[in-house]
C-alpha cells in the first residue's frame, strides 16, 4: 500500500487535484488539509457578493465539504500544515487535536496567495483586503442597514462570525476608499458605487489596470468618472487613519487627506511559498514555487500548483507567476492526473484576464508591455484601433478598442487587449487562442472569424487591428 | 501606360479590390462595371431590414457611388459585362449607350452568387428570394400597412420602383411561408414573426441549419416553435400556388397544402460563373471559378474573388466554395493588393458562420460532418457538452452547448459549433482561431482563455468541450 496523496490547501488547485486523482485512481488515499473553514470558493466572485448582485455567499463555493467527502477525499478543515520534511516524506499538521505527522507518497502544495497591504492602518475596523470570504461577508454587512445581516447565519457556519459581528450593527459608511487601481480596485469600485456611497479610488501610478495597457486604462478611467467614482491617479496612500481610535476615519495620501469610513486595499498578492522554502524547495519568479511542466518541484514527489506556483508563459517560454483561477484549476487537475499515473502537462499561461468595469468589458492576454517584450528578445510594435462590435446599421453596435502587440521582425503576435461595452471581453479569447497557435499577425488577419450583423461587422475589431499591425511589421 | 484594372461586379469583393488597388497604386486606372443600380450592399443585413429593426435600406450599403468616385474608381452602374476575351484581353459591356469593348490589364471577376429557387410559382406576386435589396424593399412594403411605404423614395433612386409598387397598396399578408431552413430561412422566420403573422417554415430534411450540426439544429427548432413559428420538418414544398391568379395563395407540399399570401424561398445559392466558363476559364467546387491562393484563375491576369470563386479550406487544404461576406471582402482586398504590385494571399476559409435565431446565437466553423471529414482523410470523433456561459452564481448565466469534432488519430481539431443565448456566437471565433493554428484538442484544452464571473465560468464552455473530446482521441 502506497502512502497517501497529500494536498495542502482546499481551494481551486488543491481540490481539482484531489478530485481528479480519486476519479482516475479510486483506490488511492487522498487527504486534503485546509487551514480555514471555507473550501473551493471563488475569489473572483467576491466583488459581486459585495455589490449585492450575488445574494448568497455560499453560492460562491463550487463544492461543499460534503460533496468533497462524496468524492472519497479525506478533507480536514482547520488543519494547518506547518512543515514539510522532504527527506522523511512527511508533513507536520496542527489541527484541533494537536500536532501530528502525516506521511505522503505524493505531496501537492496548493497554498495559494495572500493579499499584501503595505500600508499602515490596515488593521483598523473598516479596512478590508477582500481576498477572503470572511472579509467579503464583513464588508457586505458593513454596507447593509444595521440589523439586516445576522453574523451567525451569513455563509452558514463557514464564516468567522467574529469578523462580521463588528459591522452588523453599525450604520453603513457614507464614504469609502479603494487603495489600488488593479482589477480588485476596479471591480470594488463598481461594487461600492452600487451602495450609493461617495467612492474614492487611489492609484499610485497614472494608469488604472496597468497590465491591460494604456488604451484600456483610459476607457476605464472615463467610465469610473462617469459613474461618479472619484479617481485619484498618481496619488500614493501613506496610511489609513483612525484618528486615535480603532476605527478608520480617513485616508492620508500624497495630496492630503480624504474622509473614509470604509476602505478596501487591493494593491497586489504574494505567493504563499513559505512552507516550500522552509522545506528547501526551490522558488522562482516572484518567489513562487518553481515547477516544471508537470508541476513537479525540486523535491521528489512534491508538486505545486495554483497561486503559489509558477507556470510557463506561452509567448516567452519562461517561467512566470500569474495567479489566476483557470490556471489554478487546470494545473491542479493535471497534477491529480499525473499523480494517478497519467502524466499530464499543467499547460502554459498567457496572462489572459478579463475585468468588468461597470458597463465596460476589458480583456488582455500575452505581452503588451514593450519593456517586457524586449527583455524576452522581441522587437515590439503595437497598434490600437477602434471599430464597431456589430454592423454599423445594427442596433447595439458599440465602439470596441483593440490593441495588438507583435514582433517587428517575425510578425509574431505577442499580446493584445480589448475594451468595449458590447461583448468585448469574450473577444480576447480569439487573441489568446492565436497566441497558443503561435500565429503571426498576418495569419490572424486571414483567420476566418464570424460575421453576422447582430454579432460582428464584416471585419471583426480583432481583424481590423491585425490588419493595421500587419502594416507595421516586416 | 498599362491597360486598366477592370472589375466585374460592384459589391463586396469587387469594390474591396478596386479600393485597395487605388490606395496602393493611385495612378492605376480602375473601372468597375456593375449591372445593377445598388453597389456595396450587405446581403446579410436584409432580414433585419425586413424585420423592421433596421429602418433605412440605404444604411445597408457600405459605400455610396459618390464615395466610390471619391476613391478615384470609375464606377459604371447598369453596365453588364456579357463576355470576356482572354486572348485579346477585352470584355464586352452592354450599357445605357449600347455595346462597347473594354481592354484590361488585369481583370477581376466578382460576379457573386444568386439564389436558386427550384420550385414552381416563384414568380407569383407575394413570393420572394430575399437575395437582393429590391426584393427586401418589396417584402417590407408588403408587410407594412398600405400607404406607409412610398415606392418612389424607398432606398432613394437605387431601388427598382416597379418591384415595390405592387405591394405598397396591398393589405399585409396574414400568413407567410418560408421555404428552406438554412440561415436565410431561420433569419427570415425571426423577421416575419416580428410582424405578427402566422409563419410556416418548410424544410425538406429533418434538421434546421444542417451545416451547424445536430445540437444547434435542435436548440433552434425548439426556439422557433416557442416563438410561434410552425415548423414543417421533413416536408418538401412541391409548388407555390396562385390558384389560377398571379398572386400567391398557398404552398403545396408533401403533407398537403398550407395557406400563404407571402413566401420567402431560401434554399440555396449558386455561383455566377457563366461569364468565366463561357470565356474558357476553369471552374472547381460547386461550379465556382477555380483560383489559386492569390485569386488567380486559369487565364492570365484574370482573377476571381467572392461568392463566385472557390477558396482553400484551412482544415482540408482543398479548394471549396463557401460564399460568405468576410471571405469576399478579404479576397477582394488581397486581389487589389496583388494587382497593385504587392502579391497577397486571399486567405483560407473555415466556413465560419454565425446566425441569430430569435434569442439563440448559433455559430459553426470547420468540419462537423463526419462523412465530409472521412472524405478528407480524417477519422472523426465529436462530443457535445452543455455548460454555463458565466459563473453559475452570476446573473445572466445561460446554457451554452458546444460541439467539437476532432481527428481520432492525431487529436487535431476539425471543427465546432456553439449555441446559446448569452454571447454564444462570439465564442465560435475561439474555435475558428484554433483551426487556423492547427491546434489539437489537447492544445485547445490548455489554452489560457478568459475567466471572470460576468463573462465566463472558470472553464469556458469551449474548454469543457475540448476536455471531453480529449478523452476520446488517441
Amino acid at each position: 500500500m502506497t502512502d497517501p496523496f497529500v494536498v495542502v490547501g482546499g481551494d481551486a488547485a488543491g481540490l481539482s487535484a484531489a478530485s481528479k486523482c480519486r476519479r482516475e485512481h479510486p483506490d488511492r488515499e487522498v487527504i486534503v488539509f485546509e487551514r480555514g473553514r471555507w473550501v473551493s470558493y471563488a475569489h473572483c466572485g467576491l466583488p459581486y457578493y459585495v455589490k449585492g448582485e450575488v445574494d448568497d455567499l455560499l453560492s460562491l463555493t463550487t463544492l461543499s465539504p460534503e460533496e468533497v467527502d462524496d468524492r472519497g477525499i479525506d478533507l480536514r478543515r482547520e488543519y494547518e500544515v506547518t512543515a514539510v520534511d522532504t527527506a522523511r516524506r512527511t508533513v507536520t499538521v496542527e489541527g484541533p487535536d494537536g500536532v501530528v505527522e502525516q506521511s505522503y507518497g505524493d505531496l501537492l502544495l496548493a497554498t495559494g496567495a495572500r493579499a499584501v497591504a503595505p500600508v499602515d492602518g490596515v488593521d483598523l475596523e473598516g479596512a478590508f483586503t477582500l481576498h477572503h470570504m470572511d472579509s467579503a461577508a464583513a464588508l457586505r454587512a458593513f454596507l447593509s442597514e444595521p440589523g439586516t445581516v445576522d453574523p451567525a447565519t451569513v455563509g452558514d457556519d463557514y464564516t468567522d462570525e467574529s469578523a462580521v459581528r463588528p459591522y452588523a450593527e453599525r450604520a453603513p459608511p457614507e464614504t469609502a476608499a479603494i487603495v489600488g487601481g488593479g482589477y480588485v480596485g476596479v471591480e470594488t469600485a463598481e461594487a461600492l458605487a452600487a451602495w450609493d456611497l461617495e467612492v474614492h479610488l487611489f492609484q499610485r501610478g497614472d494608469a488604472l489596470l496597468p497590465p491591460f495597457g494604456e488604451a484600456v486604462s483610459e476607457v476605464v478611467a472615463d467610465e469610473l468618472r462617469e459613474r461618479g467614482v472619484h479617481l485619484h491617479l498618481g496619488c500614493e496612500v501613506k496610511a489609513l487613519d483612525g484618528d486615535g481610535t480603532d476605527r478608520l476615519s480617513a485616508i492620508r495620501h500624497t495630496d492630503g487627506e480624504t474622509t473614509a469610513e470604509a476602505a478596501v486595499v487591493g494593491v497586489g498578492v504574494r505567493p504563499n511559498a513559505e512552507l516550500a522554502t522552509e522545506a528547501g524547495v526551490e522558488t522562482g519568479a516572484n518567489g513562487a514555487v518553481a515547477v516544471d511542466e508537470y508541476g513537479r518541484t525540486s523535491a521528489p514527489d512534491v508538486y505545486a500548483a495554483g497561486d503559489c506556483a509558477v507556470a510557463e508563459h506561452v509567448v516567452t517560454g519562461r517561467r512566470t507567476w500569474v495567479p489566476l483561477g483557470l490556471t489554478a484549476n487546470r494545473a491542479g487537475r493535471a497534477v491529480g492526473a499525473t499523480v494517478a499515473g497519467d502524466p499530464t502537462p499543467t499547460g502554459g499561461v498567457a496572462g489572459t484576464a478579463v475585468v468588468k468595469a461597470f458597463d465596460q468589458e476589458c480583456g488582455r492576454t500575452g505581452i503588451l508591455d514593450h519593456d517586457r517584450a524586449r527583455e524576452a528578445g522581441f522587437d515590439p510594435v503595437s497598434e490600437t484601433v477602434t471599430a464597431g462590435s456589430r454592423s454599423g446599421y445594427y442596433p447595439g453596435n458599440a465602439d470596441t478598442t483593440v490593441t495588438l502587440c507583435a514582433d517587428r521582425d517575425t510578425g509574431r503576435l505577442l499580446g493584445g487587449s480589448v475594451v468595449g461595452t458590447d461583448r468585448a471581453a469574450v473577444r480576447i479569447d480569439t487573441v489568446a487562442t492565436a497566441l497558443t497557435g503561435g500565429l503571426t499577425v498576418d495569419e490572424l488577419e486571414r483567420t476566418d472569424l464570424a460575421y453576422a450583423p447582430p454579432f460582428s461587422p464584416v471585419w471583426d475589431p480583432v481583424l481590423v487591428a491585425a490588419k493595421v499591425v500587419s502594416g507595421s511589421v516586416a
Side-chain angles (χ1 to χ4, degrees), chain A:
Chain A
M1 170 114 188
T2 53
D3 280 326
F5 175 34
V6 170
V7 176
V8 187
D11 204 354
L15 287 181
S16 294
S19 300
K20 180 68 178 171
C21 180
R22 285 290 303 177
R23 200 159 48 242
E24 298 297 311
H25 194 337
D27 297 333
R28 183 84 192 259
E29 189 186 358
V30 178
I31 306 172
V32 176
F33 295 110
E34 164 56 46
R35 67 179 172 187
R37 274 190 268 188
W38 288 98
V39 294
S40 184
Y41 65 91
H43 295 265
C44 304
L46 297 179
Y48 309 101
Y49 173 74
V50 170
K51 184 180 177 185
E53 220 162 3
V54 174
D55 214 53
D56 177 10
L57 190 57
L58 276 180
S59 73
L60 299 187
T61 58
T62 309
L63 293 171
S64 68
E66 294 69 35
E67 289 167 317
V68 177
D69 283 346
D70 289 345
R71 295 183 177 188
I73 297 164
D74 182 358
L75 170 65
R76 308 198 195 157
R77 294 186 293 149
E78 303 187 81
Y79 281 79
E80 183 165 9
V81 173
T82 56
V84 177
D85 187 329
T86 60
R88 292 180 48 237
R89 305 169 80 95
T90 59
V91 293
T92 306
V93 191
E94 291 183 18
D97 310 320
V99 177
V100 293
E101 297 258 299
Q102 169 67 51
S103 61
Y104 64 78
D106 295 287
L107 176 68
L108 171 62
L109 303 174
T111 45
R114 64 180 174 277
V116 294
V119 60
D120 286 343
V122 286
D123 297 328
L124 290 169
E125 189 186 307
F128 304 84
T129 57
L130 207 58
H131 194 65
H132 197 273
M133 300 289 266
D134 291 343
S135 57
L139 177 53
R140 169 97 173 244
F142 192 13
L143 294 165
S144 305
E145 286 303 314
T148 58
V149 172
D150 177 358
T153 62
V154 59
D156 246 351
D157 63 344
Y158 299 104
T159 305
D160 177 1
E161 211 179 305
S162 71
V164 180
R165 191 163 296 287
Y167 300 103
E169 299 302 327
R170 269 188 73 176
E174 290 180 358
T175 57
I178 297 161
V179 184
Y183 66 92
V184 170
V186 166
E187 289 171 346
T188 303
E190 180 183 334
L192 294 178
W195 292 88
D196 210 20
L197 307 173
E198 184 178 312
V199 178
H200 294 261
L201 188 152
F202 298 89
Q203 167 75 326
R204 190 166 61 174
D206 289 330
L208 296 174
L209 295 173
F212 287 69
E214 204 177 321
V216 176
S217 296
E218 285 174 9
V219 171
V220 171
D222 287 346
E223 178 81 2
L224 264 58
R225 286 193 192 99
E226 270 173 35
R227 299 311 189 105
V229 175
H230 302 268
L231 278 192
H232 304 258
L233 299 179
C235 178
E236 186 172 3
V237 170
K238 298 292 189 187
L240 308 189
D241 200 343
D243 197 21
T245 75
D246 62 355
R247 283 191 174 181
L248 175 69
S249 59
I251 310 292
R252 275 192 285 126
H253 50 78
T254 44
D255 295 340
E257 194 167 287
T258 301
T259 301
E261 296 157 83
V264 173
V265 180
V267 295
V269 293
R270 175 187 297 170
N272 291 326
E274 290 77 3
L275 195 60
T277 51
E278 285 163 17
V281 172
E282 285 173 21
T283 55
N286 296 72
V289 183
V291 291
D292 70 6
E293 63 177 314
Y294 292 96
R296 292 182 290 225
T297 69
S298 60
D301 301 320
V302 178
Y303 298 79
D307 289 1
C308 69
V310 302
E312 185 179 307
H313 197 284
V314 299
V315 176
T316 65
R318 296 180 184 180
R319 301 281 142 180
T320 182
W321 183 61
V322 186
L324 284 172
L326 173 60
T327 310
N329 276 273
R330 183 153 42 197
R333 186 170 179 274
V335 168
T338 299
V339 164
D342 175 23
T344 303
T346 55
V349 295
T352 308
V354 280
V355 172
K356 181 173 179 292
F358 295 94
D359 281 352
Q360 294 290 345
E361 306 186 357
C362 318
R364 61 93 56 220
T365 189
I367 300 183
L368 285 162
D369 182 73
H370 283 203
D371 288 339
R372 214 180 135 207
R374 276 187 287 264
E375 266 171 45
F378 299 109
D379 180 12
V381 53
S382 291
E383 299 285 354
T384 297
V385 305
T386 297
S389 60
R390 312 180 181 195
S391 292
Y393 53 81
Y394 195 90
N397 174 42
D399 276 356
T400 306
T401 298
V402 178
T403 298
L404 292 179
C405 178
D407 178 46
R408 205 183 300 265
D409 293 339
T410 61
R412 180 176 166 193
L413 182 71
L414 301 177
S417 72
V418 185
V419 63
T421 55
D422 182 34
R423 301 155 196 254
V426 180
R427 285 193 158 91
I428 201 66
D429 285 343
T430 302
V431 184
T433 307
L435 292 178
T436 295
L439 299 192
T440 65
V441 285
D442 281 355
E443 289 168 330
L444 178 57
E445 183 195 340
R446 289 197 290 269
T447 295
D448 193 7
L449 298 188
Y451 156 52
F455 309 129
S456 166
V458 174
W459 294 92
D460 187 274
V462 171
L463 295 178
V464 176
K467 207 154 55 163
V468 173
V469 185
S470 271
S472 303
V473 299

